[in-house]
């Protein structure tokens, strides 16, 4: 089952889901195991085909799942899910299923095996673009976005509409300190 | 002259200047020419030594200056400077000095030859970590942060204090649409 109230986002607009620099969850799965971790260090890398970059530390359980499966999901959590997002960083998927332990729903992705975490408003399904040197040297992973989905109440016609809904994405600094995504404004 | 009201930021805390995913200006200089462009696609890459990643398109004038000098500056503009930041993307440094044309002050950096643009509240001075394959294939540049500076009224003790000052950093989406950095909140 895909997450409720969501629609696919055209691939050429998918970069806009993370162009404003939100902290994301990274979901992964391989061989019957799955995991989810938070990652502030992520960004779009290209428009068409859409690509992303994300830092996945060698110490994480997610790292092995991503390397083995060649897939990951970047998901944009809401402010209401910020505590859950932070908690993904203080537990290890080696010891437990973090989805179950933290009460995070796991929905079905459209194109990859990794789950789409609940408490989120956008998801980018990615296949790893193998670049072993930068993966090993910098923990830097590149991915091609093969499917994207968003909460249709918040992202429509290629743009976020946070102000109407009150729901916001989040931006992590350190020590449990976040900023919510703030006021929308337009300049010529 | 360094920008007014600023202090150096310890290198080990410098990632916090861009950890929340703001759109930045990229400043560069070489052989008596200088340039500035906006880049939403940037992120921290490591804590110590601090590193960053940023996408610099082949079509930009900045690309040649950065490749020739091996240096760049990432600067965090304020909401008041958002129109100026956007305008850096619709003009080319090949045709004119964008600092002069757009009325952007150019302050002296501490460690690199590239200038520190005005209208900003934080600056990361970076030396390119040469990775020719990913520069050529993905327009992806990695840099080591060799000096950092911030507006001391806004960034103190390793944390942003936007709420007190009203000044905010910015997060670009597309088509002139931005979000301001929003409310600070803390979770346990």
């Amino acid at each position: 089952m895909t997450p409720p109230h969501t629609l696919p986002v055209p691939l050429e607009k998918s970069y806009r889901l993370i162009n404003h620099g939100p902290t994301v969850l990274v979901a992964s799965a391989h061989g019957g195991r799955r995991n989810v971790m938070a990652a502030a260090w992520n960004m779009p890398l290209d428009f068409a085909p859409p690509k992303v970059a994300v830092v996945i530390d060698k110490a994480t359980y997610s790292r092995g799942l991503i390397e083995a499966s060649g897939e990951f999901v970047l998901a944009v959590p809401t402010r209401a899910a910020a505590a859950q997002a932070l908690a993904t960083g203080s537990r290890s998927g080696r010891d437990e299923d973090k989805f179950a332990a933290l009460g995070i729903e796991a929905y079905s992705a459209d194109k990859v095996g990794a789950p789409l975490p609940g408490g989120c408003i956008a998801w980018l399904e990615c296949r790893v673009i193998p670049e072993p040197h930068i993966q090993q040297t910098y923990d830097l992973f590149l991915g091609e976005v093969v499917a994207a989905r968003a909460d249709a109440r918040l992202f429509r016609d290629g743009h976020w509409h946070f102000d109407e809904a009150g729901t916001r994405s989040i931006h992590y600094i350190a020590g449990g300190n976040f900023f919510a995504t703030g006021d929308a404004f337009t300049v010529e």
Side-chain angles (χ1 to χ4, degrees), chain A:
Chain A
M1 191 177 78
T2 52
H5 310 295
T6 64
L7 284 173
V9 172
L11 284 180
E12 69 273 17
K13 297 283 173 64
S14 64
Y15 75 94
R16 298 183 182 184
L17 299 173
I18 59 166
N19 210 73
H20 61 303
T23 294
V24 301
L25 297 180
V26 182
S28 53
H30 182 72
R33 301 293 297 268
R34 61 187 186 176
N35 202 25
V36 58
M37 58 175 271
W41 298 359
N42 72 88
M43 66 179 183
L45 181 64
D46 207 350
F47 295 108
K51 299 186 187 76
V52 298
V54 62
V55 177
I56 308 287
D57 195 86
K58 283 176 191 68
T60 64
Y61 185 63
S62 298
R63 174 76 171 251
L65 298 180
I66 291 169
E67 289 184 328
S69 65
E71 296 175 346
F72 59 88
V73 168
L74 301 187
V76 178
T78 64
R79 178 168 173 169
Q84 220 172 32
L86 188 68
T88 64
S90 57
R91 315 172 73 124
S92 174
R94 277 188 193 85
D95 308 321
E96 60 187 355
D97 180 308
K98 280 197 265 184
F99 288 91
L102 293 168
I104 301 174
E105 296 276 352
Y107 297 99
S108 300
D110 291 290
K111 295 270 183 79
V112 303
L116 306 186
C120 294
I121 50 182
W123 299 261
L124 300 171
E125 302 179 22
C126 304
R127 293 214 174 97
V128 172
I129 301 168
E131 289 290 354
H133 167 65
I134 61 166
Q135 291 169 208
Q136 186 60 30
T137 308
Y138 306 105
D139 296 335
L140 179 56
F141 282 73
L142 310 184
E144 179 174 338
V145 181
V146 296
R149 179 171 287 276
D151 189 317
R153 299 167 299 184
L154 290 159
F155 189 86
R156 297 188 307 275
D157 306 323
H159 282 281
W160 285 108
H161 298 272
F162 290 124
D163 287 355
E164 299 164 22
T167 302
R168 302 296 171 113
S169 51
I170 59 175
H171 305 261
Y172 190 55
I173 299 288
N177 294 290
F178 291 84
F179 292 104
T181 303
D183 296 340
F185 67 96
T186 304
V187 302
E188 299 294 315

